Amino acid sequence: MALVEVRDLVKNFILGDEIVRAVDGVSLSIDKGEYVAIMGASGSGKSTFMNMIGCLDVPTSGEVRIDDIATSEMDSDALAELRNQKIGFVFQQFNLLARTTALDNVAVPLIYAGLNTADRRDKAKAKLEEMGLGDRLDHSPAKLSGGQQQRVAIARALVTEPLILLADEPTGALDTKTSEDIMQIFESLNDAGITIIVVTHEEDIAQHAHRNIHFRDGKVIEDKPVIDRRSTKDDR
Ligand SMILES: Nc1ncnc2c1ncn2[C@@H]1O[C@H](COP(=O)(O)OP(=O)(O)OP(=O)(O)O)[C@@H](O)[C@H]1O
Ligand SMILES: [Mg+2]
């Protein structure tokens, strides 16, 4: 069964008297356990597409089903709940709360999930430890490196144990070495069964995924498995 299923998805933005067709009729499905990279030039509709899959934005028309649940009839509260239960997000600029410790940043999604303070702190601490940040719990984002901030953001995305991790240019603000570290984390998360969808401009990053979907002008122009993945790695 498909975990993410989109049918005839369209998103138009109105700018003055011009209509921008940001996503222009996309149909595809992504199964549980897949690791997908979404590629394409700037403005091709990648983020708009991700935001609709992640129920952060509503389509102009067409359908998004998450874990066999149709989202089109849901109100914003129901969408927020679905998001909280099933989806974790990671962004290029980390989007952490600035004057808040790593621990409290990671605990935020658990407020919405309805856990008490002690349970929230326990779970947030465990996730940060998994990300190798057990000694940085009380640091604010400004006192962490970019890679550490992104690992806090990944811990926050995962603390609710979502089925799907959506990452929009997660390595866009990181150097090559740190980007590789983040890719290693994604790989082990995917090995553990999490479905990952990552938007990237970088071919290297896309090669870590198992399937590459290419956007142009709001449409999917290519959707193919990543072949020779292991052998490319061994050749390095
Ligand atoms: N809120 C908005 N209002 C108006 N137009 C928008 C809005 N968001 C996106 N667009 C337009 O929709 C198109 C697709 O934008 P989108 O952000 O999805 O592209 P992208 O592929 O993520 O690009 P990038 O690689 O630069 O992040 C662009 O033409 C963009 O200008
Ligand atoms: Mg984008």
Side-chain angles (χ1 to χ4, degrees):
M1 188 194 72
L3 187 53
V4 176
E5 175 115 46
V6 307
R7 284 289 156 247
D8 305 321
L9 199 62
V10 171
K11 181 71 182 185
N12 295 335
F13 291 110
I14 295 164
L15 281 178
D17 48 11
E18 190 199 352
I19 295 178
V20 178
R21 284 187 157 278
V23 171
D24 192 8
V26 171
S27 298
L28 56 83
S29 63
I30 295 171
D31 287 335
K32 191 167 184 333
E34 280 202 74
Y35 184 176
V36 179
I38 296 183
M39 308 203 56
S42 183
S44 59
K46 305 180 298 293
S47 294
T48 306
F49 178 74
M50 283 284 259
N51 290 344
M52 288 191 286
I53 289 183
C55 307
L56 287 171
D57 202 355
V58 290
T60 303
S61 63
E63 192 177 17
V64 177
R65 294 179 81 85
I66 303 293
D67 201 17
D68 217 22
I69 300 167
T71 61
S72 50
E73 302 295 316
M74 288 184 170
D75 64 17
S76 59
D77 285 352
L79 287 173
E81 192 179 334
L82 179 75
R83 218 161 43 225
N84 189 257
Q85 289 175 351
K86 304 206 186 263
I87 302 168
F89 288 94
V90 175
F91 301 97
Q92 179 170 0
Q93 298 300 337
F94 324 129
N95 296 11
L96 299 172
L97 301 170
R99 273 170 287 280
T100 306
T101 65
L103 189 70
D104 287 339
N105 264 287
V106 175
V108 166
L110 298 173
I111 299 173
Y112 302 105
L115 272 71
N116 68 41
T117 312
D119 287 350
R120 292 201 299 264
R121 293 182 75 88
D122 285 351
K123 277 188 193 282
K125 181 165 177 275
K127 271 300 162 212
L128 282 163
E129 283 168 351
E130 272 178 46
M131 292 299 136
L133 292 170
D135 56 350
R136 293 289 187 280
L137 303 179
D138 294 324
H139 283 54
S140 63
K143 299 204 171 93
L144 297 169
S145 71
Q148 288 170 337
Q149 289 182 62
Q150 195 58 299
R151 282 187 279 145
V152 173
I154 294 169
R156 179 182 58 185
L158 297 175
V159 76
T160 51
E161 310 288 345
L163 293 168
I164 310 168
L165 181 66
L166 299 181
D168 194 346
E169 302 273 3
T171 62
L174 303 175
D175 61 53
T176 310
K177 164 76 176 67
T178 312
S179 299
E180 274 304 315
D181 295 344
I182 298 296
M183 287 303 103
Q184 293 306 320
I185 292 172
F186 278 24
E187 204 143 320
S188 52
L189 292 172
N190 183 242
D191 286 344
I194 298 181
T195 305
I196 300 181
I197 307 174
V198 56
V199 169
T200 184
H201 277 110
E202 294 160 74
E203 188 63 40
D204 285 5
I205 300 296
Q207 288 300 312
H208 286 271
H210 305 170
R211 172 179 172 190
N212 287 358
I213 297 174
H214 212 106
F215 274 69
R216 184 187 293 158
D217 299 334
K219 294 186 166 73
V220 171
I221 56 160
E222 190 174 50
D223 183 345
K224 61 165 203 265
V226 175
I227 43 163
D228 282 335
R229 194 167 148 268
R230 300 285 167 194
S231 63
T232 342
K233 262 195 196 156
D234 294 344
D235 290 346
R236 284 205 195 125

